[in-house]
Amino acid sequence: MSCGNHHETPCDEVLARVYTYLDGELDQGGCGEVREHLDECGPCLREYGLEEAVKKLVNKSCACEQAPDDLRAKVLGRIEEICGEIKTSSEAGTSGTA
């Protein structure tokens, strides 16, 4: 995703770190970069809001249960696969438009 505007931190980089940001696992500099980007980029801010809502819903529904380690590993692995597929697809779509 990109809003078409230049940002210090690119949209795809910010969106790749949204869950890390939501979980409070970014260092202070990383948090500042994400916050600054979200302040100036409406599409990323909307995506952030969606991810935040999903995280809250999952937390509310599953807060008392912990996923088994193998399930957690499978889910995280699949998320990484999908992110890689999206990135590859996005790069392939823009490679001919230089």
Side-chain angles (χ1 to χ4, degrees):
M1 166 192 286
S2 176
C3 65
N5 297 327
H6 173 75
H7 300 284
E8 190 70 30
T9 307
C11 295
D12 58 343
E13 186 178 323
V14 168
L15 294 176
R17 297 190 297 176
V18 163
Y19 276 104
T20 309
Y21 177 75
L22 283 169
D23 291 340
E25 296 175 355
L26 285 179
D27 61 22
Q28 193 171 23
C31 285
E33 290 174 357
V34 171
R35 272 194 304 270
E36 180 180 332
H37 183 96
L38 295 175
D39 285 345
E40 59 189 36
C41 183
C44 288
L45 181 60
R46 283 189 293 280
E47 185 70 22
Y48 165 80
L50 175 63
E51 301 300 343
E52 183 180 37
V54 167
K55 183 171 175 54
K56 285 180 181 178
L57 179 62
V58 169
N59 188 40
K60 180 180 174 183
S61 300
C62 305
C64 58
E65 298 178 37
Q66 181 149 351
D69 291 337
D70 61 329
L71 174 61
R72 179 178 167 78
K74 286 179 186 177
V75 170
L76 291 173
R78 184 64 182 132
I79 289 170
E80 288 178 11
E81 285 177 31
I82 291 171
C83 288
E85 291 170 6
I86 291 170
K87 184 176 182 180
T88 300
S89 174
S90 176
E91 289 171 354
T94 60
S95 64
T97 60

